[in-house]
Amino acid sequence: MSEQFDVIIVGGGPAGLAAGLYASRMDLRSVLVDRGPLGGQLLNTELIEDYPGIDSILGQELAVKMGDHARRFGLDIREFEPVSEVDAESDVRVVRLESGHELRAPAVILAAGGLPRKLGVPGEAEFAGRGVSYCAVCDGAFFKNEVLAVVGGGDAALEEGDFLTRYASKVHIIHRRDQFRAQPILQDRARANKKIDFVMDAQVREIVGNGKTNAVKYESRGELMELPVGGVFIFVGFIPNSRVLKVHADHDAEGYLVTDPEMRTSVPGIWAVGDVRAQLTKQIATAVGDGTTAAVSASAYVSSLRDKVRASA
Ligand code: NAP
């Protein structure tokens, strides 16, 4: 079965929800699909303190607010509706769902985000869900009074490392270089936290255990060390979900979609916003800006197609 819309939004994080809000306000027949519950990366963030105008809000709470807000303007939101592929057929863009259902529209806004990058070391897959995690908010509470390792040196590693000290007795942040990539404010916070210890210039080589994680092995200055831990939280970046596009769209070396200033990809009728798009930073504020721009641009595109149809009638 297939349904027709003006705009289809794939992904229900801040970028997709902002796009949906604006598209609906502009009276476009708009639908948003997400493979899970609404929120995207908001759901992996405990507290948000850097969204202008809001001192502090739970990620989950902001997700609900953004969803309710978009729904009030008429956005048709479909959660737990995984997309198998996004395709382009002449003037029509097609979003195929795993359910077999098909959504068709002249415009698709891809806000599909991405997934955590894996470290790729022995033991990582074996102990996933048994001490190895990629989400502190989801799994932190299972590690009360345990010693943990956090791998990575970006914003996520430092922020989530700090968060995990609510539960853990000690958190070792293991980073492959001697300098962090994370914002200074997150570094300062982690340095001020007495439960955090830093292991720099260290490459994780293996995660070991016996039924469940009990140590991490890393190499530092030519020496192989073993650190006993009850869990390993991995924050080494992100892989964009751009592969869902069946047609070729320009992307960078890491698979992030390249857009113009209106968030248009190289495929007419397909926009890319938020974490799936190549850009300097991944912030809620920038995601919301991307979504807004794409919705306005897509609205102009849909109107121009309608004008063409009227002119040729
Ligand atoms: P990221 O900024 O890409 O940092 C990834 C970290 O993992 C880097 O320190 C990198 O080391 C390290 N790494 C990568 N591959 C590795 C490997 N194979 N082995 C060991 N270490 C490895 O990723 P992120 O921290 O997940 O953040 C993703 C985006 O979300 C960023 O744009 C970030 O600003 C944003 N974010 C923002 C906030 C916030 O504003 N509060 C919170 C979370 C995330 P090198 O430094 O040596 O490359």
Side-chain angles (χ1 to χ4, degrees), residues 5 31-32 36 41 44 53 57-58 64 95 105 122 181 201 220 229-230 268:
F5 294 92
V31 63
L32 181 151
Q41 291 300 313
N44 296 337
I57 186 166
L58 292 172
V64 170
V95 174
R181 180 183 291 273
D201 272 326
S220 184
V229 292

Side-chain angles (χ1 to χ4, degrees), residues 50 153-156 159 175-177 181 183 236 282-283:
D50 53 7
D155 287 345
E159 192 167 68
H175 181 38
R176 65 180 175 184
R177 287 190 295 135
R181 180 183 291 273
Q183 301 166 43
V236 294
K282 294 188 182 65
Q283 296 292 319

Side-chain angles (χ1 to χ4, degrees), residues 24-208:
S24 305
R25 277 175 64 91
M26 288 183 291
D27 266 349
L28 296 169
R29 271 174 306 154
S30 314
V31 63
L32 181 151
V33 284
D34 194 297
R35 68 174 155 207
L38 285 186
Q41 291 300 313
L42 291 178
L43 302 181
N44 296 337
T45 312
E46 219 254 325
L47 209 56
I48 288 151
E49 297 176 309
D50 53 7
Y51 192 55
I54 300 178
D55 281 352
S56 161
I57 186 166
L58 292 172
Q60 210 161 14
E61 195 184 341
L62 185 58
V64 170
K65 277 182 183 289
M66 284 188 178
D68 289 348
H69 194 180
R71 271 193 201 97
R72 270 203 295 282
F73 287 106
L75 180 66
D76 178 350
I77 293 179
R78 303 184 188 179
E79 294 171 272
F80 302 100
E81 197 68 270
V83 168
S84 57
E85 60 185 27
V86 176
D87 203 357
E89 292 174 2
S90 61
D91 267 356
V92 183
R93 306 293 160 256
V94 186
V95 174
R96 300 197 178 94
L97 304 177
E98 283 182 9
S99 63
H101 198 68
E102 205 174 79
L103 309 174
R104 300 170 81 86
V108 167
I109 299 176
L110 195 62
L115 293 169
R117 179 183 288 134
K118 303 279 193 297
L119 250 184
V121 296
E124 181 180 17
E126 186 186 343
F127 294 109
R130 289 183 293 149
V132 171
S133 170
Y134 303 86
C135 178
V137 175
C138 321
D139 299 328
F142 297 122
F143 295 89
K144 281 208 178 94
N145 300 320
E146 300 231 35
V147 177
L148 296 176
V150 162
V151 187
D155 287 345
L158 281 267
E159 192 167 68
E160 303 309 323
D162 188 54
F163 171 75
L164 285 167
T165 61
R166 288 182 191 200
Y167 309 106
S169 58
K170 186 96 201 161
V171 171
H172 299 278
I173 298 185
I174 305 177
H175 181 38
R176 65 180 175 184
R177 287 190 295 135
D178 63 355
Q179 281 194 328
F180 287 118
R181 180 183 291 273
Q183 301 166 43
I185 187 171
L186 299 178
Q187 295 190 34
D188 292 347
R189 202 174 284 173
R191 285 201 180 94
N193 187 332
K194 294 203 164 41
K195 283 186 173 181
I196 295 183
D197 157 79
F198 302 99
V199 185
M200 307 300 280
D201 272 326
Q203 289 275 356
V204 171
R205 296 293 181 216
E206 191 178 352
I207 295 164
V208 290

